Amino acid sequence: MSRFFVSAEPVDLAALRAELHLDEAGGFCVFEGWVRNRNEGRAVDGLDYESYEPLAVNEGTQIMEEACAQFAISGAVAMHRVGSLKIGDVAVWIGVSAPHRDAAFKACRYIIDEIKLRVPVWKKERYLDGDTEWIACHQTEAGS
């Protein structure tokens, strides 16, 4: 079981976690990407995310299928927000359950890295000084 979706509204993360609480799973790994208040030395007020949803869901689904094929996992769910987000909001959420932790950690890392690289989501940073700047998610520093 795996799925990827895009949401314009806040998501019930406990419900996503519950989807992955499977009898065969001995571990669960989650990654939450949050909107932070600084980027490259500039004070950030928030982010605006945009996406072409049909293409994003198609590519995200492909990534989830790849993760299921490459790692011994029980299930995975990934979600990316669009719209205006405030500091501290969850922008991306990935949960992976597996019989053993190593597969859960590796699959979770694979999914976030591939989402940032391949899923067409664009973000505009809103700075406290009133300026804005579009930033391609795949152009950000690796691991950020």
Side-chain angles (χ1 to χ4, degrees):
M1 180 275 293
S2 72
R3 68 183 181 109
F4 174 89
F5 65 100
V6 173
S7 178
E9 302 296 329
V11 173
D12 180 356
L13 301 179
L16 297 182
R17 183 183 182 280
E19 288 182 37
L20 296 166
H21 198 194
L22 305 169
D23 289 345
E24 72 268 20
F28 171 74
C29 183
V30 66
F31 173 81
E32 292 185 357
W34 303 333
V35 177
R36 64 179 179 266
N37 68 355
R38 297 199 69 77
N39 188 34
E40 297 185 358
R42 298 186 74 179
V44 174
D45 187 43
L47 297 175
D48 296 324
Y49 284 101
E50 291 189 12
S51 178
Y52 179 62
E53 189 171 336
L55 184 57
V57 169
N58 187 52
E59 193 65 27
T61 300
Q62 179 64 37
I63 292 166
M64 303 303 280
E65 290 172 0
E66 291 167 7
C68 288
Q70 292 181 34
F71 306 100
I73 61 176
S74 303
V77 175
M79 175 279 301
H80 205 299
R81 289 284 312 276
V82 293
S84 291
L85 279 67
K86 302 176 300 200
I87 302 301
D89 284 350
V90 174
V92 61
W93 189 93
I94 298 161
V96 178
S97 63
H100 303 286
R101 67 181 180 277
D102 190 48
F105 279 118
K106 287 179 178 175
C108 195
R109 178 64 191 242
Y110 175 81
I111 292 167
I112 185 59
D113 287 349
E114 293 301 310
I115 285 173
K116 292 199 61 105
L117 182 67
R118 296 166 40 190
V119 173
V121 175
W122 302 273
K123 69 178 177 182
K124 182 170 67 176
E125 288 185 336
R126 291 180 275 114
Y127 302 103
L128 284 178
D129 64 9
D131 194 15
T132 62
E133 184 176 356
W134 283 100
I135 298 173
C137 292
H138 65 277
Q139 293 175 336
T140 58
E141 180 181 332
S144 63

